[in-house]
Amino acid sequence: TPHRAMAWLAVDLSPDRRQGALIAAQRLEGDRFQVQLLQTWSNSINLDDKAIANDIADWVRKYPVQLVAYSARTASAVAARLKPAGIQIEAVDGQDYAQSCDEFLGAIGSQRLAHSDQQELTTQCLSAVKLPYGDGGWVMGRKVSNATICAAIASALATHYATRPATEIDIIAS
């Protein structure tokens, strides 16, 4: 069952710290994988990083989670609370973030990404604005998107791990 498959979680918060989302990614058959929006948070003033960390810890107990990915730009306070609980965390920023956005778009385009038709996740992905990054790369821009895109960004962060080859050798040259 997919529920017992290895999972990668990713959390992202909006720049104003009023919205947040938690995504899970799990591998399926072949090179396909799925992403699922597990939880969103909303607060008109400021999100509570301790409460979010506790919610994430609950999800980590439900799934065989390898790690929780996050952006140091938005979710450092949450990540700092997860680490003492023994939860493996990893920041995905800069070039790795640009790579994760590209991997996410590539997985959608090649139909390797399956999602459970969650309207909120779809809406946030469609609301994301692409910004150029570096030499030919791109990222989803939090501030230029006229909507909350935390779920889209967290999906890209989780994709970064779900698309990694099971072995170090992904391409075999003959």
Side-chain angles (χ1 to χ4, degrees), residues 9-168:
L9 302 187
V11 60
D12 189 60
L13 307 181
S14 61
D16 64 8
R17 304 299 188 275
R18 293 180 182 172
Q19 305 290 327
L22 181 68
I23 290 283
Q26 290 179 304
R27 287 200 181 112
L28 302 171
E29 292 295 311
D31 64 352
R32 296 192 64 205
F33 67 98
Q34 68 178 356
V35 295
Q36 180 141 13
L37 178 60
L38 296 179
Q39 189 167 353
T40 59
W41 299 275
S42 183
N43 186 306
S44 61
I45 300 161
N46 199 59
L47 292 170
D48 179 348
D49 54 275
K50 183 179 179 189
I52 292 172
N54 282 325
D55 289 344
I56 292 170
D58 288 343
W59 285 106
V60 167
R61 285 190 280 277
K62 292 177 188 173
Y63 290 92
V65 173
Q66 187 168 346
L67 61 80
V68 178
Y70 70 99
S71 167
R73 290 172 184 245
T74 63
S76 287
V78 173
R81 292 182 179 276
L82 295 173
K83 195 171 184 134
I87 295 170
Q88 180 73 32
I89 58 170
E90 196 164 309
V92 181
D93 286 294
Q95 186 56 49
D96 288 338
Y97 173 53
Q99 180 181 334
S100 74
C101 289
D102 216 32
E103 289 162 341
F104 182 54
L105 188 63
I108 293 168
S110 64
Q111 299 183 334
R112 286 180 289 123
L113 173 61
H115 78 92
S116 50
D117 211 26
Q118 295 174 291
Q119 189 56 52
E120 181 62 22
L121 178 56
T122 301
T123 299
Q124 290 195 31
C125 288
L126 293 174
S127 299
V129 173
K130 287 170 69 172
L131 290 177
Y133 180 88
D135 192 16
W138 67 279
V139 295
M140 285 183 261
R142 291 178 178 90
K143 290 180 178 165
V144 296
S145 300
N146 291 324
T148 299
I149 62 164
C150 299
I153 290 173
S155 293
L157 301 183
T159 293
H160 188 59
Y161 296 94
T163 57
R164 284 189 173 166
T167 64
E168 290 301 310

